[in-house]
Amino acid sequence: MAHKNNGSNGHRHAAGKPTRYSAFGLFRRGLSRSDWPRAWQERPLKSTYDVVIIGGGIHGLATAYYLAANHGITNVAVLDKGYLGGGGSGRNTAILRSNYLTPEGVRFYDRSLHLYERLSSELNFNVMFSQRGHMTLAHNDNSLRTLRWRAEVNKLQGVDSEVIDPDEIKKLVPYLDTSTDTRYPILGALYHPPGGIIRHDAVVWGYARAADAHGVHLHQNTEVTGIETAGGRVTGVRTTKGDISTPVVVNCTAGWSSLISDMAGVDMPVTTSPLQAAVTEPVKPFLGTVVVSGTLHVYVSQTDRGELVFGASVDPFTSYSMRGSLEFAEGLAGHVLELMPAVSKMRLLRQWAGLCDMTPDYSPIMGPTHVDGFHVDVGWGTYGFKAGPVSGEAMADTVANGRPPEIIAPFGIDRFTTGQLVGEKGAAAVGH
Amino acid sequence: MIQLPCPWCGPRNASEFTHHGEVTSRPDVGTATPEEWRRYLYFRQNANGWVDENWYHTAGCRRFIRVRRHTLSNETEAAR
Ligand SMILES: Cc1cc2nc3c(=O)[nH]c(=O)nc-3n(C[C@H](O)[C@H](O)[C@H](O)COP(=O)(O)OP(=O)(O)OC[C@H]3O[C@@H](n4cnc5c(N)ncnc54)[C@H](O)[C@@H]3O)c2cc1C
Ligand SMILES: [Zn+2]
């Protein structure tokens, strides 16, 4: 998961002109045996920027990219205390889908899916988006009811989503145990053909490279230690590499976001919990779709390399620790075998954890705050990777035009004082 | 595995407990405005460090206990 380099050492290139990746280029470089140029540059930290984005995950990098590409705002710095994609963006299970529960949610995530569909060509970077279908199983009448509800909301928003029965499930995923004498028999599933998986690191690197090409500064190993305000406005940011003055700060720090908001004097309805995942040794392809079970709190997909990737729900307490636990691996194995007894001989290769910024209604918190110039793009919980492109687009729009666009209006921080929550728990309780 | 110091049962694995989160102070039901009430419901300190919190010993004595825990290292100690 954790790749720290950004391509091999090689020639530098001028801003605005990244090397174009192509089959022909690959062939030519194979013959000449020269190094590939760096995908992005290390530049000196300036003392002033028009916009400072805290957090070099997909949300921060996408925001930087769309600020430059859609609005021509390029005097921008992205700061990360570690390396780009070292947070949730490099630790997630890379599932994309838009079959949410509320109309606001479905509309929002579907816009993201559409941006993802053309991301490889837009960024000239292969993000390996595989729309192999996504299936959420129901093991009791209650969840079947929620799935029907979701299917109807989805269809009204033009999203391909329907409830299918155990026979159809068996056809799509023959290795699932669809017999009726199990502890949690499968009664039906919500099937969402456009959902799938993607190469998460490639998305991060693709946005970083494209933002860098527009002149955005990417500063790794640069931790924000304070935020300066004066008269209710943001005026600057303090970092371990020096102070920066700026009129606009965007908080894209996910699991750490309430600590950053605290620095600006903005309270958040957020708690941080670890979410764990695990991967097995690779085997031949046998699992063509993503399979999720809310009742068993588990989901599984098979990567292009053949490994099974498993995820679950967040650890049952808050913490900033990213250590995995044996309880997780044990519980996960039990639940997976309940669904697919055939994989009992497969071995787990590794497990890991990332931090999730959970909100009370399982929806994000996006837009301006009561501190002028301090914007948040947080509350991404266990589901924010799929939202990267639309969030970047919308946050760039917010910064450029001074107010949030319609598509993120429901996700403002004010909803927690007015009571207008956007309840997505029914579609987001199992983390993916 | 995190261990919690239950004053009734001794040190026990965290999996026996239900996490109820950081200690908050509940506003007066009779006089709180809806805004104050929602603040109490939704907003949290979410500190990275030592935190006083409530846990319920579901699979043990079935009492609420108060524990001090470091949210980064997960070390625990009994609260006052
Ligand atoms: C195991 C797991 C599985 C998941 N599966 C899925 C999935 O299948 N689909 C999906 O859509 N989502 C999934 N998610 C959620 C998703 O990973 C996150 O919501 C998303 O990556 C958040 O992106 P981000 O850019 O907002 O934050 P992050 O990628 O977490 O980036 C935040 C960055 O902020 C930096 N930072 C923090 N503090 C400071 C500071 N003081 N100064 C400077 N920088 C700082 C961190 O170093 C970090 O790099 C999963 C998460 C986990 C942990
Ligand atoms: Zn006890």
Side-chain angles (χ1 to χ4, degrees), chain A residues 158-237:
Chain A
V159 168
D160 190 357
S161 173
E162 59 174 330
V163 173
I164 59 176
D165 64 28
D167 288 342
E168 293 167 276
I169 296 172
K170 191 77 182 172
K171 263 185 235 144
L172 286 162
V173 190
Y175 281 89
L176 270 186
D177 184 359
T178 48
S179 54
T180 48
D181 57 354
T182 56
R183 182 156 169 223
Y184 299 105
I186 295 169
L187 304 184
L190 184 66
Y191 183 48
H192 176 47
I197 55 175
I198 199 163
R199 177 89 202 282
H200 54 354
D201 292 326
V203 176
V204 168
W205 297 336
Y207 273 124
R209 172 172 170 268
D212 174 87
H214 280 284
V216 168
H217 285 196
L218 309 175
H219 299 292
Q220 310 190 73
N221 298 313
T222 309
E223 180 170 356
V224 171
T225 53
I227 294 176
E228 304 287 346
T229 60
R233 278 210 58 92
V234 159
T235 55
V237 164

Side-chain angles (χ1 to χ4, degrees), chain B residues 19-76:
Chain B
H19 183 245
H20 279 259
E22 66 193 48
V23 176
T24 50
S25 72
R26 180 166 157 167
D28 184 339
V29 194
T31 58
T33 63
E35 288 72 26
E36 281 164 353
W37 192 253
R38 291 185 192 117
R39 247 197 110 64
Y40 157 69
L41 282 181
Y42 304 135
F43 285 76
R44 294 292 178 272
Q45 203 54 49
N46 197 31
N48 182 358
W50 287 101
V51 174
D52 284 338
E53 47 185 22
N54 293 318
W55 293 74
Y56 179 66
H57 201 173
T58 324
C61 60
R62 298 189 155 221
R63 294 190 201 214
F64 279 93
I65 65 165
R66 192 164 284 193
V67 174
R68 234 171 113 64
R69 180 172 64 102
H70 194 286
T71 53
L72 181 59
S73 66
N74 283 326
E75 290 168 89
T76 54

Side-chain angles (χ1 to χ4, degrees), chain A residues 53-60 79-81 86-91 250-261 268-273 319-320 322 354-359 364-365 375-385, chain B residues 46:
Chain A
I53 296 167
I54 312 177
I58 183 177
H59 283 265
L79 313 178
D80 200 289
K81 67 174 175 163
S89 299
R91 297 162 186 269
V250 188
N251 177 2
C252 298
T253 51
W256 300 268
S257 61
S258 60
L259 306 174
I260 297 289
S261 289
M268 302 296 287
V270 165
T271 57
T272 295
S273 287
S319 181
Y320 285 90
M322 288 193 273
L355 298 185
C356 295
D357 42 339
M358 308 302 293
T359 61
I365 306 172
H375 302 282
V376 291
D377 171 20
V378 304
W380 287 113
T382 61
Y383 40 79
F385 197 78
Chain B
N46 197 31

